[in-house]
Amino acid sequence: MAKIMKASPALYVIRERIRKALQLFSSEPTESYLNSTNYAELFSHQTCWFVDDTNVYRVTVQKTFEGNLNTRPINGAMTVLNPRTGQCFIKVIHSSVWAGQKRLGQLAKWKTAEETVALVRSLPVEEQPNQLIVSRKGMLDPLEVTMLDFPNITIRGSEMQLPLQALLKIEKIGDMILKATEPKMSLWSCYDNWLATVSPYTAFSRLVLILRALHINTERAKIVLRPDKTVVTEPHHLWPTLSDEQWIKVENQLKDLILGDYGKKNNVNVASLTASEIRDVILGMEIQAPSQQRQQIAEIEKQASEQSQLTALTTKTQNVRGDEIV
């Protein structure tokens, strides 16, 4: 069976799907998907990797003389992030990989799985991950097949839509990928020197805030990240060098940008969102928009608090004797 699975990945996928459909896997412990309630597990003693294949197959669209749209593949990249250390492996997928191939969307998933296995193999055992978390559910089958040689590595899906593809909007990384003439692997530190002053949990939350804002509105996010001309980005860093106080201000502005966009798209009053809903929006979870009634209650509470903050008026009157009464 092991030989068949290695020789024909398609057969293995069919076998797995039949087992799942017939519910023949009850004896195996099923790993729960990553979500906003259990994502603190990422910072335990285990090594976890996020594998993102969003930008592996990228195309540019050109209009022909006849008015038709023509697509041409351009260099893409596979992103693998370690949320505990901030290490980010970026593998450039050169456009020549797609020459003469068909069903490129599906092929991109298998290509990502192959590159992930090659990366795991290249590392010493102590640096290999204990868990692989895929950003898109379509990656689960290809990774299960290609990771057969690593039975101790668990593969999980994620309910959080993490915006790792926004890393390509950073000039240093975007230019490196577009100018590449061959497939190559590079290693970046997404946390710069943050871990000297904050925990990995805080650094990861900050990175998600920045990437989500870059994904929503690149220009505004870049202005927020560089509030004035004195703020510089070190040559070996990805992000501007800011103090902890400046980072708190920047994080609040990025949060407002993200929530403002969510409120606009879903016609929701941001003031009516609870703390857990705000966290879910930032982490990219699917949430139920607050009901109209709840939004109206939030409005009334806001007005009441504003009225209570009004200054009291003093009135002066005179009695019969001509004394002034305040």
Side-chain angles (χ1 to χ4, degrees):
M1 197 64 196
K3 282 182 182 176
I4 292 172
M5 292 191 304
K6 275 196 174 180
S8 177
L11 266 179
Y12 175 77
V13 172
I14 290 169
R15 174 177 168 266
E16 284 301 305
R17 284 180 184 165
I18 291 168
R19 282 175 71 210
K20 283 172 188 171
L22 297 174
Q23 297 184 335
L24 300 175
F25 54 93
S26 55
S27 59
E28 293 178 14
T30 52
E31 201 71 46
S32 62
Y33 276 24
L34 190 78
N35 56 44
S36 60
T37 53
N38 65 10
Y39 87 108
E41 294 172 14
L42 297 174
F43 310 101
S44 64
H45 60 279
Q46 286 198 329
T47 305
C48 302
W49 282 3
F50 277 110
V51 180
D52 184 68
D53 66 316
T54 317
N55 283 316
V56 169
Y57 174 58
R58 296 198 300 167
V59 295
T60 178
V61 180
Q62 296 166 327
K63 208 166 189 177
T64 60
F65 188 68
E66 293 82 19
N68 301 323
L69 292 175
N70 194 15
T71 59
R72 182 174 63 83
I74 56 172
N75 289 356
M78 175 193 83
T79 313
V80 176
L81 173 72
N82 181 339
R84 204 155 53 110
T85 61
Q87 275 191 334
C88 184
F89 295 95
I90 294 180
K91 170 74 188 214
V92 176
I93 310 291
H94 195 258
S95 55
S96 59
V97 167
W98 315 113
Q101 302 287 347
K102 291 179 181 174
R103 298 184 66 208
L104 299 180
Q106 194 63 22
L107 179 63
K109 291 182 177 65
W110 288 92
K111 181 72 182 161
T112 308
E114 285 171 18
E115 294 294 349
T116 306
V117 177
L119 175 59
V120 172
R121 278 189 211 283
S122 68
L123 294 172
V125 178
E126 60 273 11
E127 287 182 32
Q128 288 177 1
N130 304 98
Q131 274 190 20
L132 292 177
I133 300 161
V134 296
S135 57
R136 301 201 289 186
K137 292 181 179 75
M139 276 299 301
L140 287 169
D141 276 347
L143 263 181
E144 275 177 18
V145 175
T146 49
M147 295 293 288
L148 283 172
D149 290 345
F150 300 95
N152 296 330
I153 298 178
T154 54
I155 299 160
R156 293 171 77 178
S158 171
E159 290 173 18
M160 304 191 306
Q161 297 295 319
L162 292 176
L164 293 177
Q165 66 268 34
L167 280 168
L168 273 69
K169 293 187 177 179
I170 303 163
E171 280 89 350
K172 282 180 188 175
I173 296 176
D175 290 351
M176 182 270 295
I177 290 165
L178 281 175
K179 289 174 182 174
T181 54
E182 58 183 4
K184 68 171 182 179
M185 177 70 78
S186 59
L187 177 61
W188 302 77
S189 173
C190 287
Y191 295 167
D192 291 348
N193 59 349
W194 301 346
L195 294 178
T197 53
V198 298
S199 67
Y201 183 90
T202 308
F204 179 71
S205 304
R206 184 184 291 172
L207 180 68
V208 171
L209 268 173
I210 295 171
L211 294 181
R212 176 88 50 213
L214 282 170
H215 187 56
I216 288 167
N217 189 329
T218 311
E219 294 309 313
R220 269 192 65 194
K222 284 181 178 175
I223 292 165
V224 170
L225 282 167
R226 197 172 173 220
D228 54 67
K229 288 180 182 177
T230 58
V231 176
V232 293
T233 305
E234 300 285 336
H236 56 288
H237 284 178
L238 288 178
W239 313 114
T241 306
L242 301 169
S243 67
D244 285 353
E245 291 76 25
Q246 286 174 312
W247 269 120
I248 290 167
K249 284 182 189 171
V250 166
E251 284 165 13
N252 284 327
Q253 286 177 292
L254 293 174
K255 185 179 81 171
D256 293 342
L257 191 157
I258 294 162
L259 293 177
D261 176 76
Y262 175 81
K264 206 172 176 183
K265 282 180 180 171
N266 295 281
N267 197 19
V268 166
N269 173 16
V270 176
S272 66
L273 293 171
T274 63
S276 60
E277 284 173 338
I278 288 171
R279 180 194 63 194
D280 286 356
V281 168
I282 291 166
L283 290 172
M285 292 279 291
E286 284 288 329
I287 69 163
Q288 196 73 38
S291 65
Q292 200 69 35
Q293 186 184 3
R294 219 176 87 193
Q295 290 188 56
Q296 285 168 357
I297 291 167
E299 275 293 327
I300 293 162
E301 284 174 354
K302 192 180 175 187
Q303 285 169 9
S305 67
E306 283 172 0
Q307 283 171 3
S308 67
Q309 288 167 5
L310 291 172
T311 52
L313 294 172
T314 56
T315 55
K316 291 181 181 181
T317 56
Q318 284 184 336
N319 63 9
V320 183
R321 294 178 191 142
D323 297 332
E324 211 171 66
I325 300 169
V326 177

